[in-house]
Amino acid sequence: MDTVLNRTFSYAKKLAKEFYFKEWVPNPPKCPAFGGGVVHISHYGWEHLVCLRKRTKFELLGRLFVLERAKELLETSLRFQNHIRRDDVEFWSFEAVVEGVFIKVITRSVKGGERHFFSVIRKGSAEKEIREERQSK
């Protein structure tokens, strides 16, 4: 049971890990919302992203599939949607439709340190968001 899911998950995780560590870590995005400051890409973000204790494989696949879009969002965002401070940790969130997919990217800073990528969430397709917006009016 779940042979296709398990194989797909393993392959997607391998490709996403290659992108993350071979392409994104060496070339972290400069984010206009932070005055062109770098959003560092670290092992912490990867571990948070792929933690199976908190997420199902289906949810993880959605996150892995939009990882490249997260990079694009950070490189093009002029503002963040939310900023939260919890004790010594600050979080900034970005939301947008990137290449037809609605995503949320979260960055964080611990004890005033460097901002780094923390997570990405696939929130739906652009068509779904437009449909829901029309229904709410």
Side-chain angles (χ1 to χ4, degrees):
M1 186 70 125
D2 289 337
T3 302
V4 173
L5 172 62
N6 290 332
R7 287 184 184 173
T8 302
F9 177 74
S10 294
Y11 187 65
K13 186 176 175 184
K14 178 183 177 242
L15 290 177
K17 189 173 186 177
E18 285 176 13
F19 166 76
Y20 192 92
F21 288 102
K22 291 184 180 177
E23 293 182 38
W24 210 7
V25 168
N27 301 298
K30 292 181 178 138
C31 184
F34 296 138
V38 170
V39 175
H40 296 273
I41 310 303
S42 69
H43 204 321
Y44 296 112
W46 177 256
E47 290 303 318
H48 180 79
L49 187 68
V50 298
C51 182
L52 267 173
R53 289 176 289 148
K54 298 178 183 178
R55 298 173 183 84
T56 67
K57 285 184 179 177
F58 288 112
E59 185 180 0
L60 272 170
L61 280 171
R63 290 171 186 245
L64 296 175
F65 289 157
V66 297
L67 200 52
E68 291 172 295
R69 287 172 173 84
K71 182 178 188 287
E72 184 176 333
L73 178 56
L74 288 173
E75 291 173 337
T76 59
S77 288
L78 299 175
R79 63 181 59 98
F80 47 85
Q81 276 63 46
N82 200 3
H83 176 236
I84 298 170
R85 183 184 299 254
R86 290 188 194 139
D87 300 321
D88 290 340
V89 183
E90 290 181 84
F91 297 91
W92 294 266
S93 64
F94 300 81
E95 294 184 11
V97 174
V98 181
E99 296 182 33
V101 182
F102 185 42
I103 64 170
K104 179 178 185 175
V105 175
I106 300 167
T107 61
R108 77 172 185 173
S109 171
V110 179
K111 295 184 179 180
E114 299 173 330
R115 289 185 186 102
H116 61 271
F117 169 80
F118 191 58
S119 193
V120 62
I121 302 162
R122 184 182 187 280
K123 298 192 78 173
S125 65
E127 294 82 17
K128 179 183 173 196
E129 295 304 311
I130 292 167
R131 203 170 37 250
E132 288 176 359
E133 186 176 310
R134 286 181 185 155
Q135 290 173 352
S136 68
K137 289 182 179 180

